Amino acid sequence: AQSVTQPDIHITVSEGASLELRCNYSYGATPYLFWYVQSPGQGLQLLLKYFSGDTLVQGIKGFEAEFKRSQSSFNLRKPSVHWSDAAEYFCAVWRDSGGSNYKLTFGKGTLLTVNP
Amino acid sequence: AAGVIQSPRHLIKEKRETATLKCYPIPRHDTVYWYQQGPGQDPQFLISFYEKMQSDKGSIPDRFSAQQFSDYHSELNMSSLELGDSALYFCASSTVDRGSYEQYFGPGTRLTVT
């Protein structure tokens, strides 16, 4: 079974600093990978996704992520963090279990705190 | 653009009661997923429907049932509620058209069992 690991439970950065959130996956085939963001008590918003092609993908809100097959990683980055980026970030992998079954498996999440 | 609609947004029930959560997918989306997110936890897949048929099942208790109707909306029925059922329940929808596999999430229903 595939799994997603987010090694960092909580990260604190200063506003304006760069950010990298780590995500590692365990999956036999090339996975479909996603990053979602969740503000407190809110739903999940898709930041970006990787299906195939260019391994550096751009997302919304200035985020990008790089797929590295050799490291089984899909790390999320942002060059300059804003206070409004404080939220929980989930990495997820899509598993094709046959037919049209595309359920997502999520990592445990990384809580981002932004200091002024 | 239309989003996934969930109702109610908040629900308070007592133990052993029954709850029904509703989900209205994005128009022309053919697949609906239900996820449960406990406090401080990651979302866990419960069940999914494709074209009104159950397509996959995750860690959904036998006390829960769900279905997708002819208009593609879905309902999650939860009986004999337990304190541990208190969670945020998300519905997501997607379509396989155009090779797009993104799941779009609704705002969630926060269920509190007292």
Side-chain angles (χ1 to χ4, degrees):
Chain A
Q2 86 288 354
S3 65
V4 179
T5 302
Q6 293 180 248
D8 304 304
I9 296 174
H10 187 191
I11 284 183
T12 300
V13 299
S14 298
E15 190 169 15
S18 64
L19 171 71
E20 182 169 29
L21 302 182
R22 296 183 292 166
C23 172
N24 294 96
Y25 66 89
S26 169
Y27 191 52
T30 300
Y32 292 170
L33 295 157
F34 306 82
W35 275 99
Y36 284 87
V37 61
Q38 184 179 32
S39 297
Q42 300 301 309
L44 293 157
Q45 183 181 22
L46 179 66
L47 286 176
L48 47 76
K49 62 186 184 290
Y50 173 76
F51 290 162
S52 63
D54 193 347
T55 56
L56 184 64
V57 294
Q58 302 297 320
I60 62 171
K61 303 184 178 186
F63 285 92
E64 66 177 27
E66 186 171 12
F67 171 64
K68 293 185 177 180
R69 184 190 305 275
S70 61
Q71 299 177 18
S72 297
S73 69
F74 188 57
N75 294 348
L76 182 72
R77 300 194 295 249
K78 186 169 185 178
S80 178
V81 170
H82 188 262
W83 63 266
S84 61
D85 293 324
E88 183 116 34
Y89 291 80
F90 290 96
C91 181
V93 61
W94 162 52
R95 178 167 76 95
D96 180 3
S97 50
S100 299
N101 305 323
Y102 307 128
K103 64 183 180 186
L104 291 171
T105 298
F106 290 85
K108 296 299 183 184
T110 298
L111 180 64
L112 174 65
T113 298
V114 180
N115 288 334
Chain B
V4 177
I5 298 172
Q6 291 188 247
S7 68
R9 292 293 309 278
H10 301 272
L11 192 57
I12 300 175
K13 292 286 186 178
E14 295 187 356
K15 284 197 309 183
R16 293 180 290 279
E17 284 192 320
T18 297
T20 297
L21 280 53
K22 296 184 179 182
C23 169
Y24 298 86
I26 292 172
R28 292 181 295 282
H29 278 197
D30 48 33
T31 307
V32 167
Y33 310 80
W34 287 96
Y35 293 86
Q36 177 193 56
Q37 186 180 30
Q41 302 296 314
D42 56 298
Q44 295 289 318
F45 171 75
L46 291 177
I47 196 166
S48 63
F49 293 87
Y50 170 67
E51 286 290 347
K52 293 154 281 184
M53 298 290 290
Q54 181 181 308
S55 54
D56 203 355
K57 198 171 182 180
S59 50
I60 183 170
D62 292 341
R63 300 177 289 108
F64 293 7
S65 65
Q67 58 183 321
Q68 187 179 31
F69 294 86
S70 57
D71 64 351
Y72 291 94
H73 94 273
S74 178
E75 295 183 3
L76 177 65
N77 298 293
M78 310 160 68
S79 63
S80 303
L81 287 170
E82 302 174 356
L83 295 178
D85 297 328
S86 295
L88 195 54
Y89 289 83
F90 288 109
C91 172
S93 73
S94 70
T95 177
V96 300
D97 289 348
R98 305 186 307 279
S100 170
Y101 306 110
E102 300 169 25
Q103 291 185 25
Y104 295 84
F105 282 78
T109 294
R110 182 169 296 283
L111 172 66
T112 302
V113 181
T114 62

